[in-house]
Amino acid sequence: TRPLRLLLAEDSLVNQKLAVGLLERHGHRITIANNGRQALELAANENFDAILMDVQMPEMDGLEATRQIREREQQTGGHVPIIAMTAHALKGDRERCLSCGMDEYVAKPVRERQLLLALRTVLGEEVAPAPAEKVENYLTDDSHIMDWNVALKVCAGDRELLREIAAAFLEEHPRRIDEIRRAIDTQDWELLHRGAHTIKGSMRYFGANAVFDRAFGLEQLAAAQRLDGSEEIFTLLKQELAKLVPHLINYVEGRGGPARSERA
């Protein structure tokens, strides 16, 4: 399998670390764009075998970036395969992505096999399939806060990659909390939706359902452009994060994490 040169357009640091970690295991080289506008510029000036394009990004979303890439290709020729990456799982989302010029669609949380299959599909060539995932059981005393089995499965059993994902979340989430606070104060619906959506998406990787639910509640308020109960939900979100964060810190610093059970 030849190494691929890939452009990853994604604004979440956690999602960036996961996608890069999974793809670099197979020799692929990744360039990162933090929003659709950066992706548009990089795609114009560099050659990529394919683009992994998040749908929801600041400044310019993935749908608009794809439309502009396709419009430019009509003048210059060529066609770079674009794979949509989205947390949406709603009916019609796939069709919406394909109708703007994307070639394939993968749902978050992204998985190694899913990414490689999508690349194989859009490139029409043999991209090495991921090895079968090993399913192991782990003992944990924090299962009510997060699920280490879910986290390790997302990272294809790679504990070092999981450590990088956890560190990325610890770095990113204070900024997202500040965004949510500012968005509630100013009734900035787009900022509220983006901050809550990013935290919610990260929780899929850790199996942290309580934090996920609070973030989802704020995301729904943003979509409805309402603030009813937002202060209460925001307070609960911070309380649940305060329970989760110490477990991630301990894992990053090598003091905690999953231990194999006798059944593993």
Side-chain angles (χ1 to χ4, degrees):
T1 304
R2 69 182 178 97
L4 301 174
R5 186 149 188 243
L6 304 172
L7 173 61
L8 171 65
E10 169 64 65
D11 66 307
S12 165
L13 182 60
V14 175
N15 291 337
Q16 288 177 5
K17 292 286 187 181
L18 178 63
V20 170
L22 294 177
L23 291 166
E24 284 186 343
R25 286 154 53 95
H26 297 272
H28 306 309
R29 292 179 297 152
I30 319 299
T31 299
I32 293 176
N34 291 297
N35 55 60
R37 197 171 303 282
Q38 287 184 10
L40 193 62
E41 182 178 347
L42 285 165
N45 296 311
E46 301 183 38
N47 293 320
F48 296 100
D49 295 300
I51 299 174
L52 302 171
M53 184 79 77
D54 184 30
V55 171
Q56 289 194 6
M57 290 182 288
E59 295 193 34
M60 179 185 292
D61 65 30
L63 299 176
E64 180 58 29
T66 299
R67 290 190 191 97
Q68 293 196 30
I69 288 172
R70 295 304 184 222
E71 289 174 2
R72 188 164 56 208
E73 287 175 342
Q74 290 180 1
Q75 305 297 323
T76 62
H79 180 95
V80 58
I82 300 177
I83 300 172
M85 298 194 309
T86 175
H88 295 168
L90 302 177
K91 184 178 180 181
D93 277 343
R94 179 185 177 87
E95 290 72 19
R96 187 163 62 104
C97 292
L98 298 182
S99 67
C100 77
M102 294 176 169
D103 300 277
E104 190 51 84
Y105 167 106
V106 295
K108 295 178 183 178
V110 295
R111 299 295 172 89
E112 185 179 34
R113 297 173 69 84
Q114 181 187 25
L115 275 177
L116 294 177
L117 178 60
L119 286 169
R120 182 162 44 186
T121 299
V122 299
L123 293 171
E125 60 185 62
E126 285 300 315
V127 176
E133 294 176 353
K134 293 182 179 179
V135 179
E136 299 185 70
N137 294 317
Y138 297 90
L139 293 174
T140 176
D141 59 0
D142 50 11
S143 59
H144 63 293
I145 298 173
M146 65 173 292
D147 189 331
W148 289 112
N149 293 301
V150 169
L152 280 163
K153 187 173 182 180
V154 166
C155 295
D158 188 332
R159 288 169 177 256
E160 192 55 41
L161 177 55
L162 175 55
R163 188 167 282 108
E164 291 182 22
I165 299 301
F169 177 74
L170 292 172
E171 177 183 341
E172 181 178 44
H173 89 276
R175 182 170 74 254
R176 300 302 182 182
I177 289 296
D178 289 344
E179 287 177 352
I180 292 172
R181 176 71 272 167
R182 187 165 71 253
I184 291 174
D185 291 341
T186 61
Q187 296 188 29
D188 186 331
W189 310 117
E190 181 180 350
L191 185 62
L192 177 58
H193 190 278
R194 186 165 67 245
H197 178 82
T198 302
I199 289 178
K200 184 195 77 173
S202 297
M203 292 306 99
R204 294 180 187 271
Y205 301 145
F206 302 123
N209 295 327
V211 181
F212 179 97
D213 291 341
R214 305 310 181 193
F216 183 46
L218 289 173
E219 184 183 37
Q220 288 180 307
L221 288 179
Q225 298 190 0
R226 295 172 41 238
L227 290 178
D228 305 352
S230 60
E231 290 293 346
E232 291 80 3
I233 298 174
F234 184 51
T235 297
L236 291 170
L237 172 64
K238 290 190 293 183
Q239 289 175 353
E240 296 298 341
L241 278 170
K243 299 174 187 176
L244 171 66
V245 164
H247 294 287
L248 298 180
I249 291 175
N250 285 340
Y251 186 64
V252 169
E253 295 181 352
R255 299 195 306 268
R260 282 186 178 83
S261 73
E262 293 180 357
R263 298 185 305 275

